[in-house]
Each structure stands twice: as structure tokens, then as C-alpha cells.
Amino acid sequence: MIQTPYLLFLGDAPDQLAAKVAQGIKDWRPGNAVGQFRMDGCGADLGIADMTLEDGLAAGAKTLVIGVANRGGFISDAWKEILVKALGMGYDIASGLHNLLRDEDELVAAARVNGRTLFDVRIPSVAYPIANGQNRTGKRCLAVGTDCSVGKMYTGLAMDAEMQKRGMKSTFRPTGQTGILITGGGVPLDAVIADFMAGAVEYLTPDNDADHWDHIEGQGSLFHVSYSGVTMALIHGGQPDAIVLAHEPTRTHMRGLPEYDLPSLEALRDMVLPIARVANPACQIVGISVNTQHLSDAEFEGYLAEVEARMGMPAVDPFRQGAGRLVDALDVV
Amino acid sequence: MIQTPYLLFLGDAPDQLAAKVAQGIKDWRPGNAVGQFRMDGCGADLGIADMTLEDGLAAGAKTLVIGVANRGGFISDAWKEILVKALGMGYDIASGLHNLLRDEDELVAAARVNGRTLFDVRIPSVAYPIANGQNRTGKRCLAVGTDCSVGKMYTGLAMDAEMQKRGMKSTFRPTGQTGILITGGGVPLDAVIADFMAGAVEYLTPDNDADHWDHIEGQGSLFHVSYSGVTMALIHGGQPDAIVLAHEPTRTHMRGLPEYDLPSLEALRDMVLPIARVANPACQIVGISVNTQHLSDAEFEGYLAEVEARMGMPAVDPFRQGAGRLVDALDVV
């Protein structure tokens, strides 16, 4: 686990979008961030306290988290100077960048000299077991999408937040870089060796209290031929009791695959349920999470009502409407 | 690609079963093996010429292939002495052992000094791309099993051999260690990083002549929760035109998963076809390959007739009956 709280490194982010990871931390785990560290010319601002490295330490920060995408695919000298200084002051550093911290000699040396840890959350740090398929106590919910990047992480985070608000027992279980940095731990599933994918998901979602819910972050899509194997391992390793279908209604083709049409929600429902019931015969599809960001205020409610009538289950945009009705829908499980 | 022909190293194999890889090479690619190398006390015998390392070289062997499982999970000093000598004489060495050749300092040093190559076929040697899902020319056939280890590799090898015999264009495409050593190349799919699994299968089965068939080696099972993600990636990366269902009728539970029943052939058929048609809308299930090794001569034909009537397609044990009827069944594609 990455030690919290964090100081969020925004570097010289050109704009707000580049600071997506830091924004996610601030939105979902504001208590995990004591402040933001911005370099001259930084175009992003989370609206939280600007801090120097010294300020961050004084506020209790344990880890400097790279909350921003880097430009040009390398870690610049200007960044490195700050990161080396932070290691010298006692920070660990965590990053989800493609360029690994561990590939930078200066950072490795500074971490070693100062007894600090570099977390490259894109790379598994655990030798995961092969899945054993055994039943586990506690409940698990998984969002399964018609496509990649349709709001599966958002859905899981929003359902977890709603449960926390209600005083229910729940945990968000990240399976990707952003989610891991938000919560401080998880499994970077797309970087796991094929034979151990389902076992990694079992490892991530162990036995728990009977009334506890794990909200497992979804990945890929059963209909996305590049990544469907990862989705399959999530379903069989996760043994979900409840599945939420996730959809973005304005896509014209599968992400990155111009020759592939999106499946209907009915086709996804019909494919996923027999698959899920191999691992958990009691699994049910409880609702639909729709990312309506490209629908206007005038359009989105009508669309959701149509989906809800057609599919016979709640259809909700958790960003616009909150995840309350999706959490309510778990009652049937 | 591993250079052929091979000298097959049987070492001190305690019995014939331990030499399964060498037996596979001798059965399916006898032209790939000039002879066998046996140590004192070797309990396996392929029935081909016994050769010293010198004999093997004289007969044209390029690679010494470890055709045997090792005992105790380590490469013994007695083996290493022979392997180092072989490298010094000009052999490459290929192995599918869990213990990697590259982890043995003496072997690495001897390979370097002599300019030879160590092939650990369990480990990918290629940076596979992410799958792009584009249609490819040529035809592909994939065996998909109700369980692991039900005869999928055998089915693919037998169908390829039958096509070769008929003068048809075909290639067996290995996705596991044994298959890779038999043919000299392939993809060790269970060791590929999750994001690249389907891309590795695309890489393995590129565009080909319109009347050429790739017989892709199957792995895992959609119903085996430990490995189903690998199977999924094979189906979506392989884009099969034809699927053969593979089954072993006497299993009492899924391999290694005592809590899991085997699916019926009908359940497998109903699950696999919509999945396969995501990547190849023309995909058809053409026949059933049954491993009847645990059925008597009196039983097996009756069982196959029953399956054939029930499923409405040819049901064949390619070991007992040859793969002719499965190859005939490809005509419908």
C-alpha cells in the first residue's frame, strides 16, 4: 500500500485535463491529499492549498504522487530535480506514468540513499496466485461495459461513496492505475501475466463480512476484442453477486476499433450473465449506469427512461443523478 | 524460430511419461528430430536412434531440445555438464522447463562465449502489439474445450496433419510450450501480459492465402475460472472461421477446481458462438473432438454416435479415428 496522505504533484501540467489523476484523488479521496505542488507555468489547479515540499511534510504528507500526465514521454530534468529533493526530505513517490520511476537512475539512487520507496503502479508488485475459484464471503459488485472507457470506474467509486454515506460496509477495489493512486492500493490488471489475471482479482477481493460490498473496478469490455480477456478474468476472478451494465450511448464504434459496432445493452446482458454464473450461480444484473455527458439536459432523462423501460431495471447516470438508485438495486441480491 | 532439426535430450527421465515433449516432437514432426540423447539410467525411449552429441551434430542437428520434465524443480549438475558441452560444440538449446535456462549462470556464460542461443519457450521473446481486430485473409480453426487438457492441442495437430496429407494448405499455430517445441515457434500465451494477449494471437496468425487454414492451439476453457481470460483472448485474437468443441466425457469436475462441474457441450456451444461472432460474424461450430481414452472399445463408438445425434454435427475422437471427418466438416465454412 502507498502511504497516505499525499502531496499532489501537478508539475508543469499544460491544462486541467492533464491533471486527471490528481483530480480523481481530490474528487474521491479528498482526505488523502494535504495540498498541491505546482511548478511555474502550471496550467492546472485543483482548488486546494498550494504547498512547497516543506509545507506538505509539515501537513503530514508521506507520499508525493505524480498526479499529472507528462509531456513527450519522458521525465524531465526539471521534474527529476524536485523528485530527488522530495526523496531526500523523506517522501515516497508514487506514479502511474508509462515511464517508470525505477528506470531513472537518479531517482533509484536517491530512494536507496534515503530509504524511500518508488511506487510504479502500472507494474504489479505482487506474485499473484492462480485463481482457485473458491466461494468467498461478502458481496461483490462489478461494472461491465458495452465498451472501454464508458464510466465503469466512476460507477464503482460513486456506489462505494453512496454506501459510505449511508453507513454501509463497502470498499472500492481498483484494477487500474488511476484507481490505485486514488485509494493507495489495488491490482494493475492489464499488466498482469495471463495465467494470473483471475487470481489477482481473487487476491484483490478476499473474504469479508457477509454484509460488506466490494466495488470492483471494471476494465475493457467483453465486446472489445483487444481487451476482452481482461474483462473475462475480472468476471471469473471477481465472482460478482451483482453486475451493473455500463454504457455510453453516443459512441459510433468501439473505442480504437473503427470496424466494430457497439453491442446493444441486451446483447451485453445476454452474454455476461451465463459467463458470470459459471463462477457465481446467484449473480444478477441489477442496473445500468449510463454516461450521458454527451446528451443535453433536455435529452438525458428521456434516454434513461427509455432504457429503464426497455431493460426492466434502473438506468442511472451516477454523475448527474448520484448512485443512490444503483445502491438501492443491490437489495435484490 | 528455433532452428531444426533437433537432437532430443531425454536426460535421466524416470519413465516414458516424463518425456512427453520429446514424444510429441517424435509423433508430430519426426523430421525435426535426428535422434535421442539419453543419460545412464534413462527410463524413456522414443524408439529412434540413440546419439551422442557428436553423432547429433554429424546428423545435422542444430538445437538440443530438452524433451523431458526435470525432477525436483531444478536443473541438475549432471544435466548442466552436458548442456555446457553442447553449447561449446555449437548447439543452441531450447527448453520449456519452469526453471529457465537463462537463470543458470554457467549456461548463460557458455552460450555467450560460443555465440549460441538459449530458448526458454515459456517466456515471450516478442513485444506483442495490442490487438487491432482487423479482418485477416485466410481461414482459422480453433478448438475450444469444456475444460483444460481435454485434447485441444492434439485436435489441432491432427487436423493440420490430415490437411497436409491431403495436400491442403495449413499450419499448426502453437500457443503453449509443447506445441512451440514441436514446431519450433509460437506464442506462450499463458505468459503474455494481459493487455497483449489478443494481439499476440493476431501476431501468430497473420494474413494468409485465402485457402490456407491456421489450426490455432486452444488453451484453458471459457468455463475454467482460472484461465478463461486466456481462452477469451484466443477467440477474439484468433477470429476463428471454424470452432471445434473439445470434450473429455469422464471428468467429474473441472481440472483443479473440485467445486466446479463441467459444462454440457450445449452450454459451451451457446456461450462460445456469440463471443466468437463479435470478432468474426461468419464463425461456425463445425464439429466435436472427444477424448475417449477412458472409454473402452465397446463404449466409445456408442458415445460418439449419441453426441453426434444430440449436437447435429460430427463427433470424432481424432486419436482413435483420425481427424478426417473434422477436416471434411470445414467445408461448410
Side-chain angles (χ1 to χ4, degrees):
Chain A
M1 289 288 292
I2 303 165
Q3 285 198 83
T4 55
Y6 308 147
L7 178 62
L8 300 178
F9 177 84
L10 303 193
D12 45 6
D15 53 33
Q16 200 70 17
L17 197 62
K20 201 175 67 168
V21 169
Q23 186 72 49
I25 295 168
K26 186 246 176 181
D27 288 346
W28 294 107
R29 294 290 184 275
N32 277 0
V34 301
Q36 63 185 2
F37 178 100
R38 302 192 296 161
M39 294 165 65
D40 286 343
C42 180
D45 184 355
L46 302 175
I48 61 176
D50 279 301
M51 292 189 177
T52 63
L53 294 178
E54 290 79 3
D55 294 337
L57 271 193
K62 307 288 188 200
T63 304
L64 185 69
V65 170
I66 313 289
V68 59
N70 54 343
R71 284 186 273 196
F74 64 94
I75 298 177
S76 70
D77 289 341
W79 280 32
K80 271 187 241 173
E81 192 181 322
I82 294 160
L83 302 183
V84 167
K85 184 180 170 198
L87 290 164
M89 293 170 66
Y91 284 96
D92 291 338
I93 302 180
S95 161
L97 298 176
H98 274 289
N99 321 68
L100 303 183
L101 301 174
R102 70 187 66 173
D103 289 341
E104 302 292 335
D105 293 341
E106 301 99 305
L107 300 184
V108 171
R112 189 179 302 131
V113 167
N114 296 289
R116 307 317 312 163
T117 303
L118 303 175
F119 292 95
D120 285 304
V121 303
R122 277 189 186 268
I123 306 293
S125 55
V126 172
Y128 302 112
I130 287 176
N132 63 32
Q134 288 171 15
N135 285 340
R136 308 197 285 292
T137 53
K139 300 284 190 187
R140 289 166 303 280
C141 179
L142 174 68
V144 179
T146 49
D147 193 3
C148 300
S149 306
V150 293
K152 296 184 295 292
M153 183 180 80
Y154 193 98
T155 302
L157 281 162
M159 291 180 74
D160 174 56
E162 175 69 20
M163 284 195 162
Q164 299 288 335
K165 207 171 72 181
R166 296 185 187 185
M168 299 169 72
K169 297 179 191 167
S170 82
T171 310
F172 177 69
R173 301 294 190 184
T175 61
Q177 291 78 27
T178 303
I180 294 171
L181 288 173
I182 288 174
T183 67
V187 166
L189 191 60
D190 60 9
V192 172
I193 301 265
D195 254 3
F196 304 99
M197 295 185 297
V201 182
E202 290 187 350
Y203 170 93
L204 181 68
T205 58
D207 281 325
N208 216 315
D209 295 342
D211 58 345
H212 177 280
W213 279 91
D214 274 339
H215 296 280
I216 308 172
E217 183 186 353
Q219 295 292 339
S221 166
L222 291 173
F223 287 82
H224 196 295
V225 297
S226 310
Y227 308 117
S228 54
V230 180
T231 311
M232 189 73 165
L234 264 169
I235 298 170
H236 280 170
Q239 293 180 1
D241 299 278
I243 284 176
V244 172
L245 305 182
H247 186 53
E248 203 282 78
T250 69
R251 292 272 168 89
T252 55
H253 60 74
M254 296 294 285
R255 188 174 166 88
L257 303 176
E259 299 168 4
Y260 285 78
D261 293 333
L262 261 77
S264 66
L265 283 161
E266 288 87 342
L268 176 58
R269 172 195 67 200
D270 293 345
M271 185 180 288
V272 73
L273 204 54
I275 288 172
R277 288 183 172 168
V278 170
N280 185 344
C283 181
Q284 296 195 52
I285 300 174
V286 298
I288 301 161
S289 177
V290 186
N291 176 346
T292 66
Q293 66 176 313
H294 298 300
L295 299 183
S296 69
D297 286 342
E299 289 170 317
F300 87 93
E301 287 184 321
Y303 178 78
L304 291 174
E306 183 270 314
V307 169
E308 187 155 324
R310 208 176 81 214
M311 298 292 290
M313 57 182 82
V316 174
D317 183 335
F319 183 80
R320 278 175 139 147
Q321 304 176 310
R325 292 182 66 226
L326 293 175
V327 169
D328 294 342
L330 295 177
D331 283 348
V332 303
V333 176
Chain B
M1 288 291 289
I2 302 165
Q3 285 197 82
T4 55
Y6 309 147
L7 178 63
L8 299 178
F9 177 82
L10 303 193
D12 44 7
D15 53 33
Q16 200 70 14
L17 197 62
K20 200 176 67 166
V21 168
Q23 186 71 48
I25 296 169
K26 186 245 177 181
D27 288 348
W28 294 106
R29 294 290 184 275
N32 278 1
V34 301
Q36 62 186 2
F37 179 99
R38 301 193 296 160
M39 293 164 65
D40 286 344
C42 180
D45 183 356
L46 302 175
I48 60 176
D50 279 301
M51 291 189 177
T52 62
L53 294 177
E54 291 78 3
D55 294 339
L57 272 193
K62 306 289 188 199
T63 303
L64 185 68
V65 170
I66 313 289
V68 59
N70 55 343
R71 283 188 272 198
F74 63 95
I75 298 176
S76 70
D77 289 342
W79 281 31
K80 272 186 241 175
E81 191 181 323
I82 295 161
L83 301 183
V84 167
K85 183 179 170 200
L87 290 164
M89 293 170 64
Y91 284 97
D92 291 338
I93 302 181
S95 161
L97 299 177
H98 273 291
N99 320 67
L100 302 183
L101 301 174
R102 70 185 67 172
D103 289 341
E104 302 291 336
D105 292 342
E106 300 99 306
L107 300 184
V108 171
R112 189 178 303 130
V113 167
N114 295 290
R116 308 317 314 165
T117 302
L118 302 175
F119 292 96
D120 285 304
V121 302
R122 277 190 185 268
I123 306 292
S125 54
V126 172
Y128 302 112
I130 287 176
N132 63 32
Q134 287 171 15
N135 286 338
R136 308 197 285 291
T137 53
K139 299 284 190 188
R140 289 166 302 280
C141 180
L142 174 68
V144 179
T146 50
D147 193 3
C148 301
S149 306
V150 292
K152 295 185 295 293
M153 182 181 80
Y154 193 98
T155 302
L157 281 162
M159 290 180 73
D160 174 55
E162 175 69 19
M163 284 194 162
Q164 300 288 333
K165 206 171 75 182
R166 296 185 186 184
M168 299 169 73
K169 297 179 191 168
S170 82
T171 310
F172 177 69
R173 300 294 189 183
T175 61
Q177 291 79 27
T178 303
I180 293 171
L181 288 174
I182 288 174
T183 66
V187 167
L189 192 59
D190 60 10
V192 171
I193 301 264
D195 254 3
F196 305 97
M197 295 185 297
V201 181
E202 290 186 350
Y203 170 94
L204 181 68
T205 57
D207 282 324
N208 216 316
D209 295 344
D211 58 345
H212 176 280
W213 280 91
D214 274 339
H215 296 280
I216 307 172
E217 182 186 353
Q219 295 292 339
S221 165
L222 291 174
F223 286 82
H224 196 295
V225 297
S226 310
Y227 308 117
S228 53
V230 180
T231 312
M232 189 74 164
L234 263 169
I235 297 170
H236 280 170
Q239 293 180 2
D241 300 278
I243 284 176
V244 173
L245 304 182
H247 187 52
E248 202 283 77
T250 69
R251 293 271 169 93
T252 55
H253 60 75
M254 296 294 285
R255 188 174 166 88
L257 302 177
E259 298 168 5
Y260 285 79
D261 293 333
L262 261 76
S264 65
L265 283 161
E266 288 87 342
L268 176 59
R269 172 196 66 199
D270 293 345
M271 185 180 288
V272 72
L273 205 54
I275 289 172
R277 287 183 171 169
V278 170
N280 185 344
C283 182
Q284 297 195 53
I285 300 174
V286 299
I288 300 161
S289 176
V290 185
N291 175 346
T292 66
Q293 64 176 313
H294 298 300
L295 299 183
S296 68
D297 284 342
E299 289 170 318
F300 87 93
E301 286 183 323
Y303 177 78
L304 291 174
E306 183 269 315
V307 169
E308 188 155 325
R310 208 175 81 214
M311 299 292 291
M313 57 183 81
V316 175
D317 183 335
F319 183 80
R320 278 176 138 143
Q321 303 176 311
R325 292 182 65 226
L326 293 175
V327 169
D328 294 343
L330 295 177
D331 283 348
V332 303
V333 176

